[in-house]
Amino acid sequence: MHKYKIAEIFESINGEGTLAGQLAFFIRFTGCNLNCSYCDTKWANVPDAKYTEMTADEILSEVKKSGIKNVTVTGGEPLIQQEIIPLLEMLCGDGRYVEIETNGSADVSDVVKIKGERPALTMDYKLPASGMESHMRTENFALLEKKDTVKFVAGSRADLERALEIIREFRLTERCSVYISPVFGEIEPAEIVDFMLENKLNGVNVQLQMHKFIWDPNMRGV
């Protein structure tokens, strides 16, 4: 039976996305195929990252025991994990809302093919400040639906200009939810709002990482 490498599982609130502020049960995998300049979970992505091996049944048991209906699958990068689709299929159902946080470089086609109530995708588009934009898989945009989200994390005016290009080129606000968040400590949220006003970015949401204001920005398990 396959065992997944789990960096941590914990109960908290969603700090960002369409369910920000709501209770969520988090499943964080180790390992990522990118190395963003501002990554706040590098500790889970290094080759010698500590992990606990858990089967799908064990993970589902913890989810059920929590009594929390929102489940966030994150990392690292969950979609590079072996046997991730069977786990996602198992997590869906029983009234749970399952969300996958993915970095924009992984193919999401197998996720959208999941029968029944598939997980929602919260997919990053890595802007220039991340150093990882060349890895973005723009083919994924055509697979997104209203339940999905594209998230931009901006660290500069140049990042905002690039986000604007992508939003308009792929008509993202017509396809899914769109969020712009600041790289924590690098750009003032007011600058993002001013940019949105300047460019009449209707349908785009500015969002702060709520958990970094409630708790220490470097705290794990929140």
Side-chain angles (χ1 to χ4, degrees):
M1 183 174 292
H2 183 74
K3 292 189 176 182
Y4 300 87
K5 295 179 179 180
I6 306 298
E8 59 178 353
I9 57 174
F10 61 96
E11 302 168 11
S12 186
I13 59 166
N14 266 314
E16 52 194 331
T18 58
L19 299 185
Q22 292 192 27
L23 292 177
F25 185 94
F26 287 83
I27 304 164
R28 185 184 303 284
F29 289 93
T30 60
C32 187
N33 58 325
L34 300 185
N35 185 26
C36 296
S37 62
Y38 51 74
C39 180
D40 54 9
T41 54
K42 286 185 184 294
W43 61 270
N45 303 332
V46 294
D48 60 348
K50 294 181 179 180
Y51 61 86
T52 300
E53 289 190 337
M54 299 179 70
T55 66
D57 286 337
E58 289 170 337
I59 294 170
L60 181 60
S61 176
E62 292 298 316
V63 171
K64 288 181 175 179
K65 282 193 297 185
S66 75
I68 295 174
K69 293 297 185 180
N70 296 328
V71 179
T72 299
V73 180
T74 188
E77 172 48 54
L79 295 185
I80 65 171
Q81 309 299 324
Q82 292 184 8
E83 300 296 320
I84 189 63
I85 297 301
L87 175 61
L88 295 174
E89 290 173 335
M90 184 177 287
L91 290 173
C92 291
D94 295 331
R96 285 185 291 274
Y97 179 92
V98 181
E99 171 193 14
I100 308 166
E101 294 184 338
T102 182
N103 64 24
S105 70
D107 184 359
V108 304
S109 59
D110 286 341
V111 176
V112 301
K113 292 175 185 175
I114 291 175
K115 295 180 180 179
E117 188 64 22
R118 72 159 174 86
L121 289 156
T122 297
M123 189 176 75
D124 283 5
Y125 183 91
K126 302 299 185 184
L127 297 168
S130 71
M132 294 289 119
E133 187 180 12
S134 63
H135 297 272
M136 292 298 93
R137 186 181 177 89
T138 55
E139 304 96 306
N140 284 335
F141 290 143
L143 303 176
L144 301 182
E145 302 172 359
K146 288 297 183 184
K147 70 187 301 180
D148 302 316
T149 298
V150 172
K151 183 182 70 177
F152 299 90
V153 180
S156 65
R157 172 79 184 201
D159 275 357
L160 294 173
E161 295 283 1
R162 181 60 177 150
L164 176 64
E165 291 176 0
I166 295 297
I167 291 167
R168 288 181 172 168
E169 179 180 354
F170 295 96
R171 303 174 70 170
L172 293 181
T173 55
E174 299 174 25
R175 182 172 293 279
C176 61
S177 297
V178 179
Y179 287 81
I180 301 177
S181 298
V183 176
F184 192 79
E186 291 295 320
I187 187 174
E188 289 298 323
E191 185 174 345
I192 299 177
V193 176
D194 289 343
F195 183 84
M196 290 169 60
L197 286 168
E198 177 186 333
N199 291 282
K200 301 298 181 283
L201 279 175
N202 294 300
V204 174
N205 305 274
V206 64
Q207 188 170 67
L208 308 182
Q209 293 177 296
M210 190 181 297
H211 52 289
K212 291 188 177 180
F213 291 88
I214 298 175
W215 297 284
D216 184 298
N218 297 311
M219 186 178 291
R220 300 183 189 178
V222 296

